[in-house]
Amino acid sequence: MALKLYNTMGRSMQDFKPIDESEVGLYGCGPTVYNYAHIGNLKTYVFEDLLRRTLEYLGYNVKHVMNITDVGHLTDDADDGEDKMEKSARETGRTVWEIAEFFTRAFFDDTKKLNILTPHVSCKATEHIQDMIDLIKTLEDRGFTYEAGGNIYFSIDKFPDYGKLALLDRQKLSAGARIEVDSNKKNPHDFVLWFTNSKFENHAMLWDSPWGKGYPGWHIECSAMSRRYLGDQFDIHCGGIDHVNIHHTNEIAQTEAATGKKWVNYWLHGEFLVMNKAKMAKSAGNFLTLAVLEEKGYNPLDYRYFCLGGHYRSQLQFSWESLDSAKTARNNLVEKVRNLLEKGKKADISNIGSAAGKYCEDFRNSINDDLNLPKALAVVWTLLKDKEISEDEKLTLILDFDRVLGLDLENTASAEEKADDVDQKVLDLIEERAEARKNRDFAKSDEIRDTLKEMGIEIKDTADGTKWKKM
RNA sequence: GGCGCCGUACCCAAGUGGUAAGGGAGUGGUCUGCAAAACCAUGAUGCACCGGUUCGAAUCCGGUCGGCGCCUCCA
């Protein structure tokens, strides 16, 4: 079975066929670095990571590009809200450049903890201003722009296909229902390519351009940078579902207007994380970062496992209860892999038996089915319970599957085995307790168990002696 | 108001025409000084509700109720 992906363009499941078999071009919209990413943002990056890993698992050579939006964008209101980065800088007494640097680093710290593969190219908007200017000039030369009130606008009426991704032709474009329309716009859905007219003095990020000193509109950066690194046409563009209507719609208009060619073949969008019946957002008061989860004792990979439990195209309900269940499940999985590592030996995947091969096929069919990771996880659990499969084969298959799951099972399972960083005192106490148990002094034995628990060490008595692990 | 999506057990969640995956929790058991862990067993005659199509519907069609998102920066 070939890889099938749900393409937002056309709203249908389609067989994936790359433009060039030797390299798949993948572009994902990256973060705007004015604040920490919340776990809802991170859900989308986990999804994109699963997409990339799936493609690589299936043998494709992927070129993954992601932008870093380090030019500020507007906080609210049509085109005249305050710039998010400037606001963050003003509030914290740092420069916008420091803000961008700080939160870019924080973002990559988070993705690393989630075992998200680093994009082959991470490109900053501020380092590609010239590419954007060039693209705007092309649009200008081709007659898609107009100047009004000091800003350069894209005229959507010049681009007949406008809105095909978002099915906008089926919608009545009723802009201005919630915000005041910028009176400079010929069509309410026109958007700014270049601003020279900022409402705010001391706007720190300004560049020279043929239209005057100013800064780029938001949508142009993705068009310009994806084009630089992936060319005029490439395979897959993904991002959050909220980008369908405006951002991706505008990107398509700009890029296709400039090149005169179809741009991207597959558009994939990740659904939102939902908490207390609302999408996660700072304004909704349900803003959780990965750091908060860590403070509460969760491993970032618990959150990754949690994301694996739902399909990327479905909203995922966050609750502490469901995160707990993901944590327990991941711990159980790691425990099983640890046992397999102790007893089994990793074999060559091509030499497994036919019964085991069936699981390989099931797993592959699951991810081929538009990245059905919940189903793929079910395959893993069913495999673990199957008594017909040897432990060597189980280990081999699961470590192979983990190339997609990205749970870092081999390292996690073996790392927790190491005793290097444990206090000698802990080992002494365990020894002392064993002695007490031998003498049937259970009061003392239980007391030591409590002491160890306070030290963060959990113990269990098995037939092979007492085992312990960090909680 | 327009557009898109969703409603499956206590929780999370697959399943889009052939008789309900998986995980967590719970319960019972084995083991244990006890505990924990582990292992074994166990859960929807049912898929928001009503009607229709069909030999057959969670899945298709119509309606009702409820929820989410986008239309404004947003993952």
Side-chain angles (χ1 to χ4, degrees):
Chain A
M1 190 171 110
L3 174 62
K4 285 187 186 338
L5 297 172
Y6 183 85
N7 195 345
T8 305
M9 186 68 83
R11 313 282 162 132
S12 62
M13 204 72 90
Q14 297 171 3
D15 284 334
F16 176 67
K17 265 195 81 66
I19 295 167
D20 178 353
E21 289 284 343
S22 70
E23 185 176 89
V24 172
L26 172 66
Y27 186 90
C29 284
T32 303
V33 285
Y34 70 101
N35 200 338
Y36 292 104
H38 60 64
I39 59 175
N41 299 133
L42 294 170
K43 175 184 187 285
T44 298
Y45 298 106
V46 170
F47 143 59
E48 291 172 5
D49 186 56
L50 292 168
L51 172 61
R52 171 173 161 188
R53 285 172 180 272
T54 295
L55 289 165
E56 290 178 346
Y57 184 84
L58 297 174
Y60 291 109
N61 177 33
V62 179
K63 182 173 182 184
H64 179 198
V65 179
M66 185 180 74
N67 64 296
I68 301 292
T69 301
D70 58 349
V71 178
H73 291 293
L74 311 166
T75 48
D76 51 47
D77 296 329
D79 289 322
D80 58 357
E82 187 171 5
D83 178 305
K84 284 179 180 176
M85 299 236 309
E86 304 264 352
K87 181 165 182 271
S88 183
R90 176 169 56 72
E91 286 171 356
T92 58
R94 288 185 274 209
T95 70
V96 283
W97 302 96
E98 285 166 349
I99 292 289
E101 178 64 28
F102 179 83
F103 289 112
T104 299
R105 196 166 298 164
F107 175 77
F108 283 113
D109 283 349
D110 283 349
T111 57
K112 196 171 177 190
K113 285 176 182 170
L114 289 167
N115 204 23
I116 290 171
L117 298 169
T118 307
H120 302 100
V121 178
S122 306
C123 39
K124 294 181 178 180
T126 50
E127 290 171 2
H128 296 78
I129 300 296
Q130 192 55 50
D131 288 329
M132 300 180 212
I133 290 172
D134 292 346
L135 188 57
I136 298 168
K137 270 199 74 66
T138 303
L139 289 169
E140 190 173 46
D141 293 345
R142 295 184 134 225
F144 288 98
T145 69
Y146 61 93
E147 185 274 332
N151 297 331
I152 306 299
Y153 293 85
F154 183 91
S155 179
I156 67 165
D157 294 323
K158 298 275 174 60
F159 187 74
D161 265 351
Y162 186 81
K164 63 185 171 183
L165 179 72
L167 308 177
L168 290 181
D169 53 329
R170 276 160 52 180
Q171 303 180 24
K172 287 181 183 138
L173 293 181
S174 58
R178 294 167 62 197
I179 55 159
E180 203 173 317
V181 177
D182 177 349
S183 59
N184 290 320
K185 290 181 178 179
K186 291 180 180 170
N187 182 310
H189 289 271
D190 288 346
F191 52 93
V192 178
L193 296 167
W194 189 266
F195 291 92
T196 64
N197 180 20
S198 173
K199 273 177 79 172
F200 304 99
E201 291 178 25
N202 308 320
H203 198 109
M205 288 184 166
L206 293 171
W207 292 267
D208 286 322
S209 83
W211 312 281
K213 221 175 178 51
Y215 54 96
W218 178 38
H219 314 297
I220 198 72
E221 70 168 89
C222 288
S223 292
M225 293 194 284
S226 64
R227 192 181 184 193
R228 163 161 293 277
Y229 296 105
L230 294 169
D232 282 356
Q233 296 176 299
F234 61 92
D235 299 296
I236 307 174
H237 191 135
C238 44
I241 193 162
D242 53 317
H243 282 151
V244 174
N245 264 288
I246 303 293
H247 182 50
H248 289 167
T249 289
N250 290 348
E251 279 184 58
I252 292 168
Q254 292 166 156
T255 308
E256 298 194 351
T259 65
K261 289 184 267 194
K262 182 186 179 185
W263 183 33
V264 169
N265 284 337
Y266 302 90
W267 289 88
L268 272 59
H269 294 96
E271 253 292 359
F272 280 134
L273 181 75
V274 174
M275 185 180 184
N276 297 331
K277 305 234 164 187
K279 72 165 180 172
M280 181 160 289
K282 205 174 182 187
S283 55
N286 56 6
F287 186 92
L288 289 173
T289 60
L290 199 60
V292 171
L293 265 47
E294 288 184 282
E295 280 162 25
K296 287 181 181 281
Y298 297 95
N299 183 312
L301 292 174
D302 294 333
Y303 183 66
R304 184 179 175 101
Y305 188 97
F306 173 79
C307 290
L308 258 37
H311 192 273
Y312 79 90
R313 262 188 313 117
S314 298
Q315 288 181 352
L316 184 58
Q317 285 293 335
F318 180 86
S319 68
W320 295 108
E321 188 185 359
S322 51
L323 184 61
D324 280 340
S325 84
K327 177 182 177 167
T328 305
R330 189 186 71 88
N331 280 334
N332 289 345
L333 184 57
V334 168
E335 188 67 32
K336 286 178 198 299
V337 171
R338 178 179 299 130
N339 289 336
L340 289 173
L341 280 167
E342 278 173 17
K343 290 182 270 182
K345 213 175 98 217
K346 203 171 149 185
D348 189 334
I349 189 81
S350 54
N351 290 336
I352 56 169
S354 62
K358 179 73 171 57
Y359 285 98
C360 207
E361 197 184 317
D362 287 350
F363 183 84
R364 191 174 277 247
N365 285 342
S366 302
I367 57 174
N368 271 335
D369 182 18
D370 194 31
L371 314 182
N372 193 331
L373 270 301
K375 206 168 168 183
L377 271 185
V379 173
V380 170
W381 287 107
T382 310
L383 164 67
L384 281 167
K385 282 188 293 192
D386 193 330
K387 296 188 177 71
E388 305 301 311
I389 309 292
S390 76
E391 298 192 319
D392 287 2
E393 286 176 323
K394 284 183 183 175
L395 181 65
T396 306
L397 286 175
I398 286 174
L399 295 183
D400 181 62
F401 298 164
D402 196 36
R403 286 161 53 207
V404 176
L405 305 176
L407 293 169
D408 199 22
L409 292 171
E410 186 161 16
N411 288 328
T412 312
S414 37
E416 289 177 18
E417 274 285 276
K418 289 177 189 157
D420 317 349
D421 52 345
V422 170
D423 219 310
Q424 183 59 39
K425 199 178 163 199
V426 170
L427 299 175
D428 291 345
L429 280 170
I430 290 170
E431 185 61 33
E432 199 180 325
R433 178 169 170 279
E435 193 63 27
R437 289 183 71 225
K438 209 167 151 189
N439 299 328
R440 302 190 71 78
D441 184 355
F442 298 121
K444 187 175 181 189
S445 142
D446 290 351
E447 194 184 309
I448 294 172
R449 182 164 63 200
D450 289 343
T451 307
L452 285 167
K453 198 170 177 182
E454 277 168 31
M455 295 168 74
I457 302 294
E458 194 173 53
I459 55 175
K460 54 182 176 179
D461 302 315
T462 72
D464 304 332
T466 298
K467 294 201 172 182
W468 58 272
K469 70 171 181 183
K470 287 187 175 181
M471 287 193 288

